[in-house]
């Protein structure tokens, strides 16, 4: 938890803060705090890291796989991927 707070304190100066947000989500998933984990993962996705394979395959997120909020996030990421593919 202390390391999460340190990472978050420095994210404003980091050009790719979505990577920090993703890793904070992972940390919360490992701590068993699923609500916090999904919220940070969602922020990472919205702020520039919508990489569906990471969310689907990251072993550190395995405890979230059955969480309804995480499943909703995965569904949103799939829809976003489709939308972006159509736009290209």
């Amino acid at each position: 938890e202390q390391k999460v707070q340190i990472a978050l304190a420095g994210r404003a100066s980091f050009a790719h803060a979505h990577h920090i947000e993703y890793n904070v989500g992972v940390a919360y998933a490992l701590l068993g705090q699923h609500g916090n984990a999904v919220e940070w993962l969602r922020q990472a996705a919205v702020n520039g890291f919508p990489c569906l394979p990471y969310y689907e395959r990251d072993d550190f997120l395995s405890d979230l796989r059955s969480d309804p909020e995480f499943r909703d996030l995965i569904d949103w990421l799939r829809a976003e991927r489709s939308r972006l593919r159509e736009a290209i």
Side-chain angles (χ1 to χ4, degrees), residues 6-18:
I6 291 168
L8 291 175
R11 81 180 158 138
S13 63
F14 191 65
H16 299 284
H18 49 270

Side-chain angles (χ1 to χ4, degrees), residues 33-81:
Q33 297 182 27
H34 292 190
N36 286 335
V38 172
E39 181 55 36
W40 283 105
L41 294 169
R42 183 178 291 116
Q43 282 189 45
V46 169
N47 291 331
F49 195 64
C51 188
L52 178 62
Y54 270 81
Y55 294 82
E56 289 182 319
R57 297 182 190 140
D58 189 333
D59 289 337
F60 293 128
L61 301 178
S62 61
D63 287 348
L64 294 178
R65 303 273 185 257
S66 62
D67 185 284
E69 288 183 49
F70 184 74
R71 296 301 319 153
D72 288 345
L73 175 59
I74 294 295
D75 291 343
W76 179 84
L77 286 164
R78 284 188 182 126
E80 185 68 4
R81 179 180 62 181

Side-chain angles (χ1 to χ4, degrees), residues 1-13 17 20-21 24 28 40 43:
E1 187 72 40
Q2 186 178 26
K3 298 289 184 184
V4 166
Q5 296 311 313
I6 291 168
L8 291 175
R11 81 180 158 138
S13 63
I20 293 172
E21 294 164 351
V24 167
Y28 278 126
W40 283 105
Q43 282 189 45

